[in-house]
Amino acid sequence: MIPIKLTFEGLYSYQHRQTIDFEKLTSNHIFGIFGTVGSGKSSILEAITFALYGKTDRLLLSGDNRNYNMMNLKSNQLFIAFDFTAGKNGEVYRVQASAKRNSKRFDDVKKIDRALYKKINDKFIPISQEELESTIGLSYDNFKRTIIIPQGKFQEFLQLKSSERTQMMKELFGLQKYELSAKVKNLELENNASIQNLSGRLEQLGEVSVQQQKELQLQLKEIENNLQVLLREQIKHDQAVLALEKLKENTAQLSIYQKKADELNKQKESIIKLQKDIGAYEYCIIHFKNTLESITVVQQKTQALQGEINADQLLLQKTQTDLNQLNIKFEQISQEYKTIERIKKEIDDLGKLSEAKRLILKINSDNQRLKKGEAFITELTHKLKSMEVQEKELMTTLSELKKQRPDIETINRAQQWHLHNKNLNTLIDDTQQEIKTGNEQSSKLMQQLRNNLQQAGFSPATDDLKQWLEELSKSTEHYEEQLKNINKQRDSLLVQSGLETYALQLTDGRACPLCGSEHHPKPHNAGDIRQQIKTYKEKAEKTEALLQHNRKLTRLIERYAASNKPIQTQLKTLDAKVTRILNEAKEHQNKIVPQYKEEELLLKAAKTYTEINNAIDADEKKLLQLRERYAREVKNTEKYNQELIKIEREIDKNQSAKEILLRNIPDKLINNLKETSSEQITGKVHELQSIVSKTTMEYEHLRKQLEEHQKVAAVLQSKIDINKKHLQSENKHLDALQLKLEADIANSSYSTKDNILSILSLQLNIEASKQKIQDFHNNHQLIHNEIQKLILALNKQTYHAEKHQKAISLAAEYKKEIDAAHRKHGKTETTLSELNKKLTLKKEITEELAKLKLRAADIDTLRKLFYKSGFVNYISSVYLQNLCVAANQRFYKMTRQSLSLELSQDNSFEVRDYLNGGKLRSVKTLSGGQTFQAALSLALALADNIQNLTQTQRNFFFLDEGFGSLDKDSLQVVFSTLKNLRNENRIVGVISHVEEMQQEIPTFLNIVQNPETGSHIQESWKT
């Protein structure tokens, strides 16, 4: 992605519309955006990222109210327009974002609308967010890590967790396509299922062979020949049988039709009579049937009504008789019913007397319980006094034991003193051993250094490293000066050698390419220059070798110094530690507990304390148990006292209830039943209650019966009256019908009603009878025709059953032989067909199984290769390794050949420190400046990879932090690195407030903030 133009308004500190011409800004390949802190430098980057992705790091959360907070507080609208090129062919794209403030509510900023376009044929066509991100080739998070890096995010890639960095590699370089584990697993499952399926099918086929196929084919051919002969013979015999069967059938049909003709002749007279009856029946139906049926219906109704009236009158008489008897019974039971109230009063008095006797028994029982309870309370009181005595004895024993127990605080203090004393002695021994080991390591390193120096031809007389380095430095400076002079003289000879090339090409009349002269009186002659050049080259190589030798010795000494320095520092620390521990041990002796100076006395005292303490614990446990029992007994005493109080109250309550009951019972009843028990009284109560219940039930039953009979008598009388009225009406209707019938008979050919009824009693089905007559005539004609046809067909032939049966038997024998031959042929043919199918299937399955097993081996190889995400992680590691190599080309130079980046086994970044024996250490140990250098190198390497991935012609990289943490020398290295990027066809933008940076970058934007009008952009090429 290469920016072309950015226009924005109302964004953060920018009130008025600002436009940045990136084509001019990026003309020198490196540019800067400078300004004071808070002037609005980073807002330019946010404008670009929000336009592209609709997101910003500053306002990312849902509660940030981005719409309101992004808009300048003095502006009523926000606008961003960003033009850029992207993609392989450098297509032009435009993204716009805009929003307006609600004129009525200041804090209500409408939704920020974004529109995305691609320029096609000089027209901007809308596109989707997905299409735009696909063209850029980066997600929002990866865009911030590789192209436009906002504040606080520059070191993110360097310090990402290995899993997050691997995921980033997958997204950047599309490594998801290598996630093939699941696909291989599916292939393996499908292939194994196919192998299992084919193996099972092969087993189901059983043993089949080509020899079996040939034998069956021969058998089939022989059966077919035999079958042809049998079929020809069968045809002949079947034709003879068919002719005889046809003769038999025609003879039988002729006999049948002749019999039918005889039967029809017998029916002729009855058919003629039926025709006469149908005429008379139809006349009676039309003229008399309806009237006769109506007369019959009315007669039936009158008979039914008369019968119903007679039955109801009989029932009414019976009901009246029953009603008289019920009235007599009801009068009797009414007299008994009047005595019920007196019986109920007697029942109530008996109930009260029974309850009073029960209360007397209860009072006597409670008095007995009260006496027993008082005796039990007295016993509990004696028991409690005994426990109190035991408690006092245990308290005295515990007091004596506690006086005899040694002081535990003194014992603990003495134990701590002895323990700390042992620890101090152990610590002194261990520290002195560490000092000894450190001195041995230092001596060993010095001896290794001397051996290495002696092997290199350097044998110093003293152990002064500083003096060694000064000697080597002087020697190195001498060799460098000598090499400089040699190279200078060699360069001069090389120039002369180059002139000789031109001199050899000079000819009179042709212009010299150096001076232009056409006359060359004395051309240059190099003579023995080549030999001199060779000599100087050898001298330079020898001097360079001596120089490298000195540098190697210097690195050996510096490496020793770097390795020995931590050891010496550690030795000083250990010496101080020993001194401190000795002083602490001396002070510790003054804190000894005098009575336990000897550890044996301390152990004896601790043992005595434990024994006495155990005895105290045992007695305290007994005391606790005693007190718990005492508390339980006290609780029981209180409980029994409460129960006694309840019994006394119950006695008083029952006594009062008894007196009240006796006052409400007649004295006569009390005296009569004085010796009668409560159970006997209760029995008498039940007996009286039974009498009351029985009398009441009988009274109610008779009353209901009486009411029901009265209702029935009324209903019957009403019904009889209604039915008599209906009977009178129906008799009038019957007389009218009789008169009509007599008139119709007089007008007909019939003399009496009985003649008409006789004809109607025939119950003829007119349509069926007419159809029967028609069928008779049709059948008679049909049978006559069929008889004539059969006589012609027989042609005077006679059927013989014996001849026919013989022909059938012979044909059946041939048929059996043919059926047997067909079955044998079908069975053989089926067996052969199945065998052919099995042989073909076996061949196909065997070939397919071989292919699948070969494929299974290939799939197994793929499964191991793509197990889980191993292959993708491997590819990611390769990309990271390549990225690390590319980054080291700058980082190694930035750190003056002292540091390089490497990948650990888990794809975390580590640093190899060449100033400390080339050992590895964590990137977290880098200084602020070194961390910036490493992050910058990785970011530039990532940008190169993105350029290759998107196939763009140029690379764009924007950085918004880091320079303030660098020292002057490191800043100079960064300046040099950024300048060199111009030669790599790359555009680099930096945002900084460091003054030295502005002096090094001639093309820049300066952001100036005005309190009234907001931030403004000043372009360096316009000032």
Side-chain angles (χ1 to χ4, degrees), residues 142 145-146 157 164-172:
N142 291 334
R145 294 166 178 161
T146 56
F157 179 70
E164 294 173 349
R165 193 181 297 110
T166 300
Q167 183 62 32
M168 180 180 170
M169 291 293 101
K170 291 180 184 178
E171 293 177 7
L172 281 177

Side-chain angles (χ1 to χ4, degrees), residues 216-228 824-825:
L216 285 171
Q217 286 172 346
L218 290 173
Q219 291 177 20
L220 188 63
K221 189 172 182 180
E222 183 180 349
I223 292 167
E224 287 174 349
N225 293 334
N226 186 37
L227 189 59
Q228 291 298 324
K824 188 173 182 181
H825 180 273

Side-chain angles (χ1 to χ4, degrees), residues 748-869:
S748 70
S749 61
Y750 300 102
S751 58
T752 64
K753 177 182 175 182
D754 292 336
N755 291 336
I756 295 168
L757 291 174
S758 175
I759 293 170
L760 290 174
S761 66
L762 294 175
Q763 297 291 318
L764 295 176
N765 187 332
I766 296 171
E767 292 298 325
S769 297
K770 288 181 178 180
Q771 185 64 44
K772 182 178 179 182
I773 295 166
Q774 183 64 38
D775 290 345
F776 171 80
H777 293 298
N778 291 339
N779 289 336
H780 188 273
Q781 185 62 40
L782 179 64
I783 290 170
H784 176 73
N785 293 337
E786 288 297 326
I787 289 171
Q788 295 303 315
K789 287 180 184 178
L790 289 171
I791 290 171
L792 291 172
L794 286 171
N795 195 20
K796 299 181 180 180
Q797 294 183 53
T798 304
Y799 171 75
H800 297 285
E802 296 82 5
K803 184 179 179 182
H804 186 197
Q805 188 61 41
K806 185 177 180 182
I808 291 173
S809 299
L810 192 58
E813 289 177 4
Y814 275 103
K815 188 176 184 306
K816 287 180 181 178
E817 291 182 17
I818 290 170
D819 289 343
H822 273 301
R823 287 195 295 273
K824 188 173 182 181
H825 180 273
K827 184 177 180 182
T828 306
E829 191 175 42
T830 302
T831 305
L832 179 61
S833 176
E834 290 177 355
L835 182 63
N836 290 335
K837 289 178 182 177
K838 287 183 179 180
L839 285 171
T840 304
L841 187 59
K842 181 178 181 181
K843 182 181 178 183
E844 292 173 356
I845 291 173
T846 304
E847 291 174 355
E848 184 65 22
L849 194 58
K851 292 178 184 177
L852 288 173
K853 288 182 178 178
L854 184 62
R855 188 168 185 246
D858 296 336
I859 290 173
D860 187 58
T861 303
L862 289 174
R863 181 180 59 77
K864 294 175 181 176
L865 179 62
F866 298 121
Y867 181 67
K868 291 186 177 178
S869 295

